[in-house]
Amino acid sequence: MGNPRIGIGRNGSSVLQVLRISLHVMFALLLLIGTVMALRDGGPASTILLPATALGLCYLAGTVAENRFAPGRFGGYEGANLMDARPHLAQLWLGVITLLWALLLVQHLSFTWLMFPIVFLAIHLLPLVIALAVTVALTAISIAVPATTTAHLSPGAIIGPILGAMLAIIVSLAYRALHEDARTYQRTAEKLRATQAELALREHESGRIEERERLAREIHDTLAQGLSSIVLISRATEANLAAHHTEQAAQQLGVIHQVATENLAEARRFIRDLSSPSLTSSLAPALRRLCEETQELERARGRELTCTFQLDGPEAPFGADSTTHEPSDEIAQALARIAQGALANVRAHAQAHSAVLTLGLWEEQTTLDIFDDGRGFDPAKLEAAGETGGYGFTSLRERATALGGTLSIDSAPGEGTVINVSIPATPAPATKEQHEH
């Protein structure tokens, strides 16, 4: 109960645990020795055994009660003990212990040395100033009682209690300092655990948001664009049907069926893998096929768009689609999606007659240029508008910066548009500044 209790749990400081156990052992031994010596000197058994037994049981009861408020059981704080929970009850317990000790001291001087563990308890349970005053009072009692019961008071009977009290004060203060350090350590550990949990939660949330953004880009650059093509071609089909151009409408329905079939297959792969479908061939053939599909889709809408693919790099003069500088799958995947998104913007907004995709396969980097001769626009106005209508160029730029690359847009009203993408051969993680650029 009033016994000092370490503040860092059952597996806490071994030093404090040893001191606490030593206090119990010292109290028990001093009480036993004092009782045996008093009985040996012929003291009345009833006046010795009764208060001695009461003192032992009271001390034991306090220890049991103190364990009831062991770390973690009071208010969820692992530094709590009975003094923290019931200070008045603990101080009352100390008063009873002191009173029983005084009764035994009057019966026999062998109980004098019990003063030392009581001083230890007083310093732990009481405010420091009051505890020091109580210590002085206990020391005075330990000297005064022998002085009144013996004819000659030896110097040892005076010096002994004084030195013992001083030693008890020093040990108690050292214990109190260790006890506070242990509590400080406990609070710091709890704050650290809370901080780690918060960081883990934030990291999880950040990863979840990043994954949602990635999925949004994938859906925008694949399924959404396919559905947009279907909507545009279906409008042209509706117009041809209204004009009784059944042959052209039939061709457009075939294109709609083809695009819908491809998007359905892509959606199934997307659901299965929860990632962007990988390229089924190297990058150059995939971009060449993308140009052909773009021409076919525009033709289905009743528009003519010439989309040309060009390959640049050390082996370009030989017309090879596969070179020694073929980019990694990750870079190829990103560039294919950028080209797909850029050509979707050309078809939806540019009103262009021709578009050119130029892939540069170099040793140090891979470049992609997308040119169209459409109506163009003012990039500054697009940046200021924040592209609230959709992902658009923001999605394209995020794909490039995610691999440590860059994406620039050169356009002006009536002068067409050029998008330049450059990604290093060894992608580096994108910095915060790159994302914000």
Side-chain angles (χ1 to χ4, degrees), residues 29 61 88 103 161 164 178 196 211 231 233 259 263 286 317 336 361 366 406 429:
L29 286 178
H88 298 298
L103 293 176
L178 289 174
Q196 289 175 335
E211 180 65 10
V231 170
I233 297 173
V259 174
N263 274 265
L361 300 176
T366 303
T406 59

Side-chain angles (χ1 to χ4, degrees), residues 118-194:
I118 294 176
V119 168
F120 192 91
L121 295 177
I123 294 178
H124 180 72
L125 295 176
L126 302 174
L128 184 58
V129 175
I130 298 177
L132 293 177
V134 170
T135 300
V136 172
L138 293 177
T139 304
I141 292 173
S142 299
I143 296 173
V145 171
T148 58
T149 56
T150 58
H152 175 69
L153 185 64
S154 64
I158 300 175
I159 298 175
I162 295 176
L163 292 179
M166 293 176 61
L167 179 61
I169 291 173
I170 294 173
V171 173
S172 298
L173 293 179
Y175 183 93
R176 174 176 285 200
L178 289 174
H179 186 258
E180 291 303 319
D181 287 345
R183 285 192 169 189
T184 301
Y185 171 82
Q186 173 66 22
R187 289 190 292 267
T188 303
E190 289 176 352
K191 290 180 181 178
L192 179 60
R193 285 193 292 269

Side-chain angles (χ1 to χ4, degrees), residues 143-391:
I143 296 173
V145 171
T148 58
T149 56
T150 58
H152 175 69
L153 185 64
S154 64
I158 300 175
I159 298 175
I162 295 176
L163 292 179
M166 293 176 61
L167 179 61
I169 291 173
I170 294 173
V171 173
S172 298
L173 293 179
Y175 183 93
R176 174 176 285 200
L178 289 174
H179 186 258
E180 291 303 319
D181 287 345
R183 285 192 169 189
T184 301
Y185 171 82
Q186 173 66 22
R187 289 190 292 267
T188 303
E190 289 176 352
K191 290 180 181 178
L192 179 60
R193 285 193 292 269
T195 302
Q196 289 175 335
E198 183 179 357
L199 289 176
L201 180 61
R202 289 184 178 180
E203 184 176 354
H204 172 74
E205 183 67 16
S206 175
R208 188 177 67 85
I209 294 174
E210 183 178 350
E211 180 65 10
R212 289 178 61 183
E213 292 178 349
R214 185 187 72 83
L215 294 177
R217 287 197 302 268
E218 296 297 340
I219 293 173
H220 173 271
D221 294 343
T222 55
L223 303 181
Q225 290 178 1
L227 293 174
S228 177
S229 298
I230 291 174
V231 170
L232 293 175
I233 297 173
S234 65
R235 290 174 181 171
T237 303
E238 184 179 8
N240 283 326
L241 287 174
H244 303 288
H245 298 159
T246 56
E247 184 177 350
Q248 294 180 357
Q251 293 177 351
Q252 291 168 333
L253 287 174
V255 174
I256 291 175
H257 180 270
Q258 178 185 350
V259 174
T261 301
E262 292 175 353
N263 274 265
L264 178 60
E266 189 153 357
R268 287 171 176 170
R269 289 194 300 268
F270 188 81
I271 293 172
R272 182 181 66 247
D273 300 333
L274 282 180
S275 63
S276 174
S278 59
L279 295 175
T280 56
S281 61
S282 60
L283 179 59
L287 294 180
R288 190 184 302 279
R289 186 170 57 255
L290 177 61
C291 285
E292 295 171 354
E293 292 174 353
T294 300
Q295 288 186 153
E296 185 177 353
L297 290 173
E298 284 299 278
R299 188 177 300 114
R301 293 177 58 192
R303 298 181 180 180
E304 289 298 326
L305 173 64
T306 302
C307 189
T308 307
F309 172 73
Q310 297 179 354
L311 182 64
D312 198 5
E315 299 183 26
F318 300 98
D321 280 344
S322 178
T323 76
T324 56
H325 302 312
E326 182 72 20
S328 65
D329 291 343
E330 187 178 19
I331 295 176
Q333 181 72 23
L335 290 176
R337 292 306 182 208
I338 290 173
Q340 186 179 16
L343 288 180
N345 286 333
V346 171
R347 290 191 291 108
H349 308 294
Q351 299 178 2
H353 297 288
S354 65
V356 180
L357 260 68
T358 303
L359 175 66
L361 300 176
W362 311 97
E363 184 176 358
E364 298 296 331
Q365 63 181 353
T366 303
T367 61
L368 177 65
D369 296 318
I370 304 102
F371 161 79
D372 72 78
D373 62 354
R375 60 181 181 176
F377 61 94
D378 185 354
K381 292 183 179 180
L382 185 68
E383 297 270 347
E387 298 190 65
T388 57
Y391 278 88

Side-chain angles (χ1 to χ4, degrees), residues 390-410:
Y391 278 88
F393 291 112
T394 298
S395 175
L396 305 184
R397 180 174 284 114
E398 286 177 351
R399 286 188 180 276
T401 56
L403 296 175
T406 59
L407 184 147
S408 62
I409 302 173
D410 184 10

